[in-house]
């Protein structure tokens, strides 16, 4: 247990070096809340081996020589640097799921304070995206011709997660800006869509992070289900809107915003499919189609007709 704790701390030190560019060991110690002496003690063997160079740079290509730093075995396909960036994506996905849940809760409870808290979470999502992007750029510049260049896929996953964060923000903005809360009948549809959308996101990230491409069937079933619920939700909005007097502009604006929430949950589902497609490219070299998911779905519907 003691050795595991030491390795976890050393991994945190390397994270700081990789992603925060400290100039001194004092800076590293301050950011992690540990003593400079302990930082020196842990880094000394790695400096001696040349893995860490002073002022402070990590040789990403050599990280796989230190397997004890990792919680799981590194596959032959993956470099240790890839492992570190995948861990960043794991953390980012977890945060985005929390942001999505917080956003929907603010909508469900029509709570402005919860809405503001959910919107603040989007700043963290954006910061995480920038850290992944910068880390990938650094890794590729150090070794541009190796298989490690496949980590460009990581930038796309981070971008997809950031887009989901942006879509999530539509729900708390509805709470802050609109004068009416969602009625119970419509909320039932939104709950169903939300539940499916977040399961799709978690399933897609599970496929990417752990090479579980066999999850495709489950993901496709969820996709069909969310679009069935979406049609019913939009019909509900249209029916309610038809019963609203034309001169009631405030209520009309409310229905337009409500339709955007339905579309938002659909887009989160579509982006989850895009994440899965990226997993197929990353692990199996399966080329991704350039046709966006929503257009592929329409083509499929036309073929069926």
């Amino acid at each position: 247990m003691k050795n595991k704790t030491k390795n976890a701390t050393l991994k945190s030190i390397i994270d700081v070096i990789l992603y925060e560019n400290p100039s001194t060991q004092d800076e590293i110690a301050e950011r992690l809340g540990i003593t400079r002496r302990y930082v020196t003690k842990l880094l000394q063997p790695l400096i001696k081996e040349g893995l860490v160079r002073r002022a402070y740079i990590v040789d990403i290509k050599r990280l796989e020589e230190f397997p004890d730093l990792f919680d799981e075995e590194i596959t032959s396909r993956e470099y240790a640097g890839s492992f570190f960036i995948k861990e960043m994506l794991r953390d980012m996905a977890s945060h985005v799921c929390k942001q999505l849940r917080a956003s929907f809760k603010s909508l469900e409870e029509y709570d402005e304070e919860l809405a503001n808290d959910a919107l603040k979470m989007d700043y963290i999502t954006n910061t995480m995206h920038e850290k992944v992007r910068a880390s990938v750029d650094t890794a590729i510049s150090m070794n541009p011709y190796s298989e490690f260049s496949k980590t460009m896929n990581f930038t796309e996953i981070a971008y997809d997660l950031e887009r989901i964060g942006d879509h999530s923000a539509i729900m708390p903005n509805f709470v802050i800006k609109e004068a009416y809360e969602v009625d119970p009948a419509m909320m039932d549809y939104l709950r169903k869509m939300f539940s499916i959308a977040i399961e799709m996101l978690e399933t897609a990230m599970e496929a990417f992070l752990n090479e579980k491409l066999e999850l495709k069937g489950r993901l496709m079933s969820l996709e069909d289900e969310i679009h069935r619920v979406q049609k019913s939700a939009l019909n509900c909005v249209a029916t309610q809107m038809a019963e609203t007097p034309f001169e009631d502009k405030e209520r009309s604006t409310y229905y337009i915003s409500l339709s955007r929430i339905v579309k938002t949950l659909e887009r989160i589902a579509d982006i989850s499919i895009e994440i899965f497609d990226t997993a197929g490219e990353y692990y199996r070299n399966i080329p991704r189609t350039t046709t966006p998911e929503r257009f592929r779905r329409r083509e499929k519907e036309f073929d069926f007709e």
Side-chain angles (χ1 to χ4, degrees):
M1 180 65 70
K2 186 176 180 181
N3 191 52
K4 187 175 181 180
T5 302
K6 184 181 81 170
N7 286 340
T9 305
L10 182 54
K11 184 178 172 183
S12 296
I13 290 172
I14 291 176
D15 282 346
V16 170
I17 294 171
L18 280 171
Y19 311 124
E20 300 186 33
N21 302 312
S23 300
T24 66
Q25 290 187 11
D26 285 324
E27 284 185 41
I28 298 171
E30 183 179 349
R31 291 178 196 186
L32 294 176
I34 57 180
T35 65
R36 181 187 182 281
R37 179 173 295 186
Y38 193 42
V39 173
T40 302
K41 178 182 176 182
L42 294 182
L43 279 182
Q44 203 166 34
L46 301 187
I47 292 172
K48 184 177 179 182
E49 293 290 336
L51 173 65
V52 175
R53 300 194 292 278
R54 289 191 182 277
Y56 277 94
I57 298 172
V58 174
D59 187 342
I60 295 178
K61 291 181 287 184
R62 295 194 57 206
L63 281 175
E64 64 265 25
E65 297 174 21
F66 298 83
D68 289 344
L69 291 178
F70 306 101
D71 298 325
E72 60 187 58
E73 183 181 353
I74 302 170
T75 69
S76 60
R77 242 190 323 276
E78 292 193 289
Y79 290 82
S82 298
F83 178 89
F84 270 88
I85 299 174
K86 281 179 76 172
E87 285 300 291
M88 294 176 72
L89 284 172
R90 191 184 302 276
D91 291 342
M92 186 177 179
S94 176
H95 173 78
V96 168
C97 285
K98 288 177 184 176
Q99 180 187 345
L100 184 53
R101 288 189 174 95
S103 297
F104 189 78
K105 185 177 180 182
S106 73
L107 178 70
E108 197 172 30
E109 299 185 11
Y110 197 61
D111 187 313
E112 192 165 334
E113 184 177 349
L114 290 177
N116 282 313
D117 289 342
L119 288 173
K120 289 175 186 175
M121 295 178 76
D122 198 41
Y123 292 110
I124 300 173
T125 299
N126 293 337
T127 300
M128 287 178 150
H129 171 235
E130 285 304 311
K131 283 189 175 182
V132 173
R133 187 187 59 76
S135 301
V136 169
D137 288 348
T138 300
I140 292 175
S141 68
M142 292 177 66
N143 197 10
Y145 302 111
S146 75
E147 190 177 353
F148 193 62
S149 62
K150 288 180 69 174
T151 51
M152 279 297 295
N153 291 129
F154 295 167
T155 304
E156 295 183 36
I157 297 293
Y159 173 63
D160 286 339
L161 290 171
E162 185 196 32
R163 284 197 294 157
I164 289 175
D166 290 341
H167 283 296
S168 298
I170 289 173
M171 289 180 278
N173 275 321
F174 176 94
V175 175
I176 293 168
K177 295 177 181 178
E178 295 303 325
Y180 305 98
E181 61 184 295
V182 181
D183 71 88
M186 189 63 201
M187 184 56 75
D188 283 344
Y189 289 119
L190 294 181
R191 282 194 192 97
K192 289 175 186 175
M193 289 192 72
F194 166 75
S195 177
I196 299 167
I198 199 161
E199 185 177 351
M200 288 185 71
L201 172 57
E202 290 173 337
T203 301
M205 287 306 301
E206 173 77 3
F208 182 79
L209 293 169
N210 299 311
E211 195 178 349
K212 292 190 176 180
L213 301 186
E214 67 273 14
L215 292 172
K216 182 176 181 178
R218 175 58 182 159
L219 203 59
M220 294 301 102
S221 296
L222 289 168
E223 182 196 24
D224 289 340
E225 187 177 351
I226 199 169
H227 291 127
R228 282 196 298 270
V229 179
Q230 180 208 21
K231 288 178 181 178
S232 298
L234 290 176
N235 285 336
C236 183
V237 173
T239 300
Q240 292 179 0
M241 196 170 183
E243 296 169 354
T244 301
F246 181 75
E247 62 274 11
D248 190 346
K249 293 183 179 179
E250 193 174 65
R251 197 43 112 157
S252 297
T253 302
Y254 157 82
Y255 286 122
I256 292 170
S257 297
L258 193 55
S259 298
R260 286 190 69 202
I261 292 175
V262 174
K263 190 66 179 176
T264 285
L265 294 170
E266 181 207 27
R267 286 298 298 127
I268 291 170
D270 288 347
I271 294 169
S272 298
I273 297 294
E274 291 172 20
I275 289 172
F276 183 87
D277 288 345
T278 303
E281 181 176 87
Y282 182 76
Y283 290 110
R284 306 283 172 82
N285 293 317
I286 301 170
R288 282 174 294 158
T289 176
T290 56
T291 306
E293 169 59 26
R294 59 187 178 279
F295 294 121
R296 278 185 274 163
R297 187 170 60 254
R298 287 173 188 168
E299 287 172 0
K300 194 163 57 175
E301 289 172 355
F302 290 145
D303 289 342
F304 179 77
E305 291 172 359

